[in-house]
Every structure is written in C-alpha cells, then in structure tokens.
Amino acid sequence: MNKETFLKALQDQGIELNEKQKKQFHDYFEALVEWNEKMNLTAITDEESVYLKHFYDSITAAFYLDFNQPLSICDVGAGAGFPSLPLKIVFPQLKVTIVDSLKKRITFLNHLATKLELDDVAFYHDRAENFGKNQQFREQYDMVTARAVARLSVLSELCLPLTKVGGKFVAMKGASFKDELEDAAFATSLLGAELEKHHTFYLPEEDSERNIGIYHKRRKTPKKYPRKAGLPNKSPLTQ
C-alpha cells in the first residue's frame, strides 16, 4: 500500500488527512526504520508494508468505533506504538497511554512522540499485570486496546482491569479470533464484560483476515485480577 493508496483508502472511510498528519506518518515510518536497525521493533520495514500492516491496520478500529471525542485510551503491549499512535495522529484529541514491558520500546516511543510533536501521550515501562493493580490506572480508561498481543482469554485479564465501567475493551486480532472467542467467554464475563460487537474484514491488497471484538465493561473487575505477572499467560482463566 503506497502513500496515495493509503490516503485514498482512508478517504473511502471518511477520514481526510491534512499535511501535518501526512508528514507525521512519513516521519513515523522513517523513525521506525532507523531505530529498527538498533533494536527489534518490527519485522516489517518496507514502506508499503508498514503503511498497510501497521498504519492502515491500526486505523481500522476507527471504521467501527467513534474516535471523534476526547477518549482516554490505554494500549497494552503496543510495541512500536500500534494501534494507538496511528489513531492519535488521525484523532489528535485522544489521550493515549501505552504500557509495555520492554524499556527500549518505551525509549523509542518517547523519541517518537517528541519527533511527531504528540501531546497527551504517556508511556510506562511495566508489566500489564502490575499496571492493572495500580490504583492510579485501574479502571481509569474509556477504552483499552491491544493488537495481536496474546490469546483473547489472556488479553482479557490484561486489559479489562484497566477499562472503566461503561468503557470498552477493543481486541484487534487476526483469523484466530473466532477460535479464541468461545475460550475467552468465561474470562470476559468473570472480569465484568460482554461482547458487544464483532467485525470481520480483510486488509486491502493482501486480503488477510482481521477481526475486531468490542467488549462493553458492565461491572467492576474483581480485585484479585489481574493475577501476578506471567500467570495469565501460563494459566488462562477457564471454566
């Protein structure tokens, strides 16, 4: 997906980028490639693939959810900033928090935020399990999202404790989503949420399947969750 195709694909969804936003995406790509030579941020480094599989793919959440409001968003395990920073570029009023367990990624994100002149962004070096226990952050976010981080049953335990009651947990997944959905039903219910909507679509050009699961947080998450670091992945919540 070259830049022109990227812009046209967004226009088709009613999203028009101004010159500043176009430059921010260009600078994002350049920083990603430059820093990727020093640290492993992504296996995808050619421009057309970055615009399709990172930038466009991140923004697809906005095709199904309304980001035209000052939402507070927490992005769990965002790596090089996906999906929250492409969304922040398109919707500057968003307040974005990223938590990631690798310090070097946080260093990159801080550099990136300065380079792209992003405000209302905060980056934390922490495990999501610990972050979700911290009263400063627990159940504080309008929306919590994660893209291809872990199985849905695990992801629920990392994300739902951070989602405020009435807020949304947005899981961005590949083709495995439907298989994981049933497995995760017990965990999402236990943690206070239910599936509100599920959208399946295909990335342009390569036609690979994508799924977005939107969960509505209806009740407070029991205090014992998330469990200690490593346990959700080792022993996912099941009936």
Side-chain angles (χ1 to χ4, degrees):
M1 174 177 273
N2 62 33
K3 291 180 186 178
E4 290 70 31
T5 316
F6 171 70
L7 295 173
K8 175 71 169 64
L10 294 185
Q11 281 174 347
D12 290 346
Q13 296 289 339
I15 297 170
E16 200 80 49
L17 299 189
N18 60 33
E19 290 307 314
K20 179 185 177 181
Q21 291 166 317
K22 291 175 193 174
K23 184 177 187 310
Q24 284 174 311
F25 278 113
H26 172 76
D27 291 348
Y28 197 155
F29 167 70
E30 291 207 325
L32 185 66
V33 171
E34 180 192 340
W35 280 63
N36 204 58
E37 290 175 4
K38 298 180 272 186
M39 61 178 74
N40 182 27
L41 290 167
T42 176
I44 299 164
T45 53
D46 68 283
E47 190 172 45
E48 294 201 354
S49 295
V50 169
Y51 270 80
L52 175 64
K53 296 180 182 180
H54 284 328
F55 297 163
Y56 179 84
D57 194 18
S58 293
I59 298 165
T60 56
F63 304 166
Y64 305 102
L65 290 150
D66 180 13
F67 286 93
N68 287 298
Q69 47 189 317
L71 297 169
S72 59
I73 295 179
C74 184
D75 190 354
V76 173
F82 308 120
S84 58
L85 292 190
L87 287 165
K88 170 71 177 171
I89 291 171
V90 178
F91 304 97
Q93 78 285 354
L94 297 177
K95 295 177 172 61
V96 171
T97 297
I98 288 176
V99 56
D100 198 278
S101 60
L102 270 187
K103 184 82 168 77
K104 61 185 182 180
R105 289 191 196 133
I106 299 298
T107 305
F108 167 72
L109 293 170
N110 277 308
H111 165 81
L112 186 68
T114 302
K115 185 180 175 76
L116 303 187
E117 299 178 347
L118 300 177
D119 56 11
D120 276 333
V121 290
F123 310 123
Y124 293 93
H125 172 228
D126 203 353
R127 293 285 298 247
E129 295 96 329
N130 300 331
F131 198 72
K133 287 282 194 188
N134 187 325
Q135 291 308 309
Q136 185 184 344
F137 308 112
R138 186 178 178 86
E139 297 188 316
Q140 293 301 307
Y141 297 96
D142 298 316
M143 186 181 295
V144 181
T145 186
R147 177 175 170 259
V149 171
R151 286 184 64 80
L152 195 55
S153 52
V154 177
L155 214 49
S156 302
E157 189 171 354
L158 302 182
C159 295
L160 282 167
L162 293 162
T163 312
K164 65 168 62 167
V165 175
K168 297 187 191 305
F169 158 45
V170 180
M172 301 180 73
K173 305 282 290 178
S176 64
F177 181 85
K178 290 163 195 160
D179 293 334
E180 296 175 19
L181 204 51
E182 200 173 323
D183 280 350
F186 174 76
T188 50
S189 176
L190 176 68
L191 298 164
E194 61 185 55
L195 185 66
E196 189 176 80
K197 285 179 184 167
H198 163 222
H199 303 279
T200 300
F201 60 98
Y202 296 84
L203 273 192
E205 298 186 5
E206 65 169 38
D207 217 30
S208 53
E209 183 180 326
R210 293 291 186 271
N211 288 275
I212 293 180
I214 301 167
Y215 287 84
H216 183 70
K217 177 86 173 269
R218 297 202 174 275
R219 304 173 302 283
K220 288 177 83 71
T221 297
K223 284 183 181 172
K224 66 185 281 192
Y225 303 107
R227 292 166 294 165
K228 67 181 183 181
L231 205 52
N233 200 43
K234 191 176 171 186
S235 179
L237 295 169
T238 53
Q239 210 153 4

